[in-house]
Amino acid sequence: MMRMRSLLAAAVTAAFVVSPAAAEPVKALATFSILGDLVRQVGGDRVAVETLVGPDGDAHVFSPAPADAKKAAAATVIFENGLGLEGWIGRLAKSSGAKGTVVIASKGVPAQKMEDEDDGHAKGHDHGRGHEVTDPHAWQSVPNAKLYVANIRDALIAADPEGKTAYEANATAYLATLDALDAEIRAGLAKIPAERRKIITSHDAFGYYAKAYGVEIISPQGVSPEAEASAKDVAKIVRQIKAEEIPAVFVENITDRRLVERITKETGAAVGGTLYSDALSGPNGPAGTYVDMMRSNLRELTAALSS
């Protein structure tokens, strides 16, 4: 009996040796909700993702709290957009004593320029006023989002080499999804006559979208959705809407509706639905993931411009 017990004990011990407990998930921190979703798509079950600026939040004007410093300190990898979006991320990393690797997800993206408004302010960006600045909203082009995914994949492999096969498989599958999404957007917008592919948005966040998909987008504001358009700017937009017969004006999920309503009242242009620019919706909303966000924007644009 004693011998049998000894054999059983040895077998149990051996079982624990050859079947180690699952490794802890990699702790990843993303600066805003859209980027957080891309990290989740690539990371899968091997990565625990936290986001600093959540759904319907505005990364331009975000002010980190002490709890955010704790998240940064605990992260193995910190993903930021770059291109000047998160003017606060360097201060947060320094004040938190973060030791994790900082990854710029937009690395390799062909950056575009945009005009910063003289009378606006771009709170949260590393630039001044009244001059040309880098447009940070590169994710609005699906081909650019594919570059984000490749950068995220490589960073996660570097942080967790044992997960290389999983990260590569997740990224490959997601890139195929993004290819289909890009084709869907192009096909949807191609049905709209070129002369009708003109819209007004309340925040200048769709420059990459415009270039990628052949839509003319005019904004009465500068880089930040907090920038207030002057009466001169609004008057110019009103004249342009009337002269070019622009069919729709859109509000975004992170901006105040009042500016758009003021413009539509003076022009009679239709108010389109909500566009998602810098943040996802909540998980139960129409833009709970990046793919859902881009499809939601496509639906709103085609509905307004086709009518």
Side-chain angles (χ1 to χ4, degrees):
M1 181 64 72
M2 289 295 294
R3 178 177 172 76
M4 181 62 72
R5 288 177 180 172
S6 297
L7 289 172
L8 286 172
V12 171
T13 301
F16 279 111
V17 170
V18 298
S19 302
E24 285 285 320
V26 174
K27 292 182 178 179
L29 182 65
T31 50
F32 66 117
S33 59
I34 295 169
L35 183 54
D37 179 61
L38 298 182
V39 176
R40 289 186 186 95
Q41 300 297 333
V42 179
D45 294 338
R46 295 188 69 91
V47 179
V49 184
E50 289 205 76
T51 304
L52 292 172
V53 185
D56 296 315
D58 184 359
H60 295 272
V61 296
F62 178 69
S63 181
D68 298 313
K70 291 182 180 179
K71 292 178 183 178
T76 303
V77 190
I78 299 173
F79 291 95
E80 66 167 295
N81 182 76
L83 301 177
L85 178 69
E86 309 100 331
W88 40 266
I89 189 64
R91 296 188 298 274
L92 175 63
K94 184 177 180 180
S95 65
S96 68
K99 299 293 193 295
T101 303
V102 177
V103 177
I104 298 176
S106 64
K107 181 181 177 182
V109 165
Q112 296 180 190
K113 295 293 184 179
M114 65 192 302
E115 191 68 26
D116 186 19
E117 296 292 318
D118 285 325
D119 49 10
H121 60 278
K123 186 176 178 182
H125 287 267
D126 291 330
H127 53 66
R129 302 178 182 180
H131 61 285
E132 200 173 59
V133 298
T134 299
D135 184 348
H137 308 93
W139 59 85
Q140 286 293 344
S141 158
V142 176
N144 286 345
K146 291 175 62 180
L147 293 176
Y148 281 51
V149 168
N151 290 331
I152 291 166
R153 176 200 62 208
D154 295 345
L156 291 177
I157 290 172
D160 175 26
E162 291 183 1
K164 181 175 187 291
T165 300
Y167 299 136
E168 288 180 339
N170 292 345
T172 298
Y174 190 56
L175 288 170
T177 297
L178 294 182
D179 281 334
L181 174 66
D182 187 55
E184 181 181 339
I185 294 170
R186 294 180 191 280
L189 292 172
K191 297 175 184 177
I192 301 168
E195 64 273 13
R196 284 190 61 82
R197 284 184 234 142
K198 299 177 182 180
I199 66 168
I200 300 288
T201 62
S202 55
H203 167 214
D204 196 1
F206 293 93
Y208 292 91
Y209 193 101
K211 184 174 181 180
Y213 302 115
V215 179
E216 184 177 349
I217 299 175
I218 303 155
S219 171
Q221 290 177 277
V223 173
S224 171
E226 278 206 341
E228 293 183 8
S230 68
K232 180 180 177 182
D233 289 333
V234 173
K236 178 182 176 182
I237 293 295
V238 167
R239 289 195 301 271
Q240 192 164 4
I241 289 174
K242 291 179 177 178
E244 299 186 26
E245 299 181 346
I246 293 172
V249 181
F250 289 84
V251 69
E252 292 151 61
N253 63 318
I254 63 166
T255 55
D256 193 322
R257 295 186 64 91
R258 288 175 293 183
L259 176 62
V260 168
E261 289 170 351
R262 175 181 167 191
I263 292 172
T264 57
K265 184 177 180 180
E266 294 186 36
T267 62
V271 179
T274 297
L275 295 181
Y276 289 84
S277 56
D278 293 33
L280 301 177
S281 69
N284 297 322
T289 68
Y290 175 76
V291 171
D292 288 343
M293 178 189 79
M294 297 300 284
R295 283 182 174 149
S296 176
N297 287 348
L298 176 63
R299 284 194 302 272
E300 296 297 346
L301 286 168
T302 54
L305 298 180
S306 298
S307 58

